[in-house]
Amino acid sequence: MAVVAALLAVVLGASVVVGTGYFARNSPAASARACAPVAQVMVGKIIVPAGPIAGYCQDRLINAAYVMMAARSLGIGPHTQAIGVMTALGESGLRVLDHGDAAGADSRGLFQQRDNGAWGTYADRMDPYTSALNFFRKLVSIPGWKDLSPGEAAHTVQVNADPQHYDPYLPRAEAIVAALGS
């Protein structure tokens, strides 16, 4: 029995070390350590630094800036801009993906929008600004959208299988919007 307990302790200890290493490498905070020292860029009137902001580097922060710029073009303020950034974090990690997932092989872009006619052309879905504009247009067309929690708002637009899927991304989205909006 003591041998089994010792063996179990070794296996569990190794799992924790391996698991910790995996999650440390794949977390936003880990990617922050890998941010390249690049010059800031402008996306519209938004200054995008090298990063990190909330664990994300400039390549992904540029996409967040496009989301914010699309919202601003519709007169949408920082709270709702954060809903858009939160949704893009939950759907793609702020990357423009040219592939779908289990929920939809035809999903593309920052928001993983489907090829069903509701989100425009392939080019629209692959363009961060246009896909964000389409996301916000859908959001503001929902009766009572301002009364929804951020997660409910994102879920109502995206119709994700898990209604709480986007909630964990809100603090990072708010930090990104606050940093890029200042």
Side-chain angles (χ1 to χ4, degrees):
M1 189 61 135
V3 171
V4 171
L7 183 57
L8 183 59
V10 168
V11 169
L12 287 174
S15 296
V16 168
V17 170
V18 170
T20 301
Y22 172 81
F23 289 111
R25 284 189 309 276
N26 292 294
S27 71
S31 67
R33 291 187 293 271
C35 289
V38 295
Q40 66 187 24
V41 297
M42 297 291 292
V43 173
K45 294 181 179 181
I46 300 171
I47 298 169
V48 184
I53 298 174
Y56 294 92
C57 297
Q58 188 181 69
D59 61 327
R60 297 190 192 191
L61 296 172
I62 288 170
N63 290 329
Y66 279 116
V67 172
M68 294 170 63
M69 200 169 78
R72 288 176 180 181
S73 76
L74 297 173
I76 292 171
H79 172 74
T80 308
Q81 291 171 29
I83 293 172
V85 172
M86 172 189 74
T87 305
L89 284 168
E91 290 291 343
S92 68
L94 285 175
R95 294 170 292 160
V96 178
L97 300 177
D98 195 16
H99 59 81
D101 56 19
D106 60 345
S107 299
R108 296 290 185 273
L110 279 178
F111 293 90
Q112 286 290 279
Q113 294 162 329
R114 303 288 306 271
D115 185 18
N116 59 12
W119 303 109
T121 65
Y122 169 81
D124 292 340
R125 293 181 292 136
M126 292 299 289
D127 178 71
Y129 178 82
T130 305
S131 63
L133 199 57
N134 288 334
F135 171 84
F136 288 117
R137 284 180 177 148
K138 174 68 175 174
L139 176 61
V140 301
S141 75
I142 297 166
W145 71 272
K146 289 183 179 181
D147 298 325
L148 300 173
S149 73
E152 290 171 325
H155 173 70
T156 302
V157 172
Q158 297 293 109
V159 194
N160 190 293
D162 176 6
Q164 284 81 43
H165 172 75
Y166 304 101
D167 294 334
Y169 299 98
L170 184 60
R172 284 183 265 162
E174 290 173 330
I176 290 168
V177 170
L180 296 181
S182 57

